[in-house]
Amino acid sequence: MHVQRRRRGLLLLCAVGVIIVVAVMVFWPVPVDRPFRQVIMQVLDAARDRGLPPWVTYNQVERAANVLLFMPVGAVVTLVLRRPVVALTLCVLASAGIELVQYFLLGSRKGSVVDLAMNSLGAAVGVTGVVVTARIVRLLRNRWGRRSVSEPS
C-alpha cells in the first residue's frame, strides 16, 4: 500500500509538471517558436537539399509539435484518472479552452481549429498508448502467472 501511495504521488507530481510546461508554452504571450523560426526554416531547407520531401513545411512541423506536446498530457491524465474516455474528453476540452484564450485574449497568439485537432490527436495518441501498454502488461502478467502456477516445481 505504501508503494502504491508513493507511485501515485510521483504520478501526480509528473502530471503537475506536464501541465505547468504545457500551460507556459500555450499561454506565453508570443508563440514560443518565434525566436527559433528562422533556424527551423534553415534546418528544413538543408534537410530538403538532402532529400526531405518538399511537402514537409514549417506548418507541418508546427502541427507535429502540437501532437507531440499533447501526447504526454493525454498519457498522464489517463494514468491519474484511470478512465481513458474521461481523460480524452478533458484533454479535448482543455485544448478548446486554450485555443479560445489564445484567440480572444492573447493578441499575438492565434487560436485555431487546426491546433485544436492536432492537440486532440496528440492527447488521443497518449491515451491510446497508456491503454495499449496496460493491456499488454496485463496480458503478460496473466501469461507469466499461469506458467508459474502450472509448471512443476
Side-chain angles (χ1 to χ4, degrees), residues 17-130:
V18 166
I19 290 167
I20 288 172
V21 168
V22 170
V24 167
M25 291 180 75
V26 300
F27 293 123
W28 200 255
V30 296
V32 293
D33 61 336
R34 184 178 283 171
F36 310 105
R37 185 177 175 96
Q38 195 61 36
V39 172
I40 295 169
M41 296 295 285
Q42 290 171 348
V43 168
L44 283 172
D45 288 341
R48 276 192 210 92
D49 291 343
R50 290 171 178 75
L52 183 71
W55 56 265
V56 179
T57 63
Y58 184 84
N59 286 340
Q60 306 303 27
V61 171
E62 184 181 21
R63 289 175 181 158
N66 282 359
V67 172
L68 291 173
L69 179 66
F70 269 76
M71 286 170 59
V73 175
V76 168
V77 172
T78 302
L79 289 168
V80 169
L81 297 179
R82 299 178 186 182
R83 302 195 61 151
V85 174
V86 174
L88 182 57
T89 302
L90 286 175
C91 289
V92 171
L93 291 173
S95 178
I98 288 165
E99 296 305 317
L100 288 171
V101 167
Q102 287 180 345
Y103 186 83
F104 288 112
L105 300 177
L106 298 177
S108 62
R109 300 294 299 261
K110 55 177 185 177
S112 75
V113 174
V114 172
D115 285 354
L116 171 61
M118 294 300 104
N119 296 347
S120 298
L121 175 61
V125 170
V127 169
T128 302
V130 168

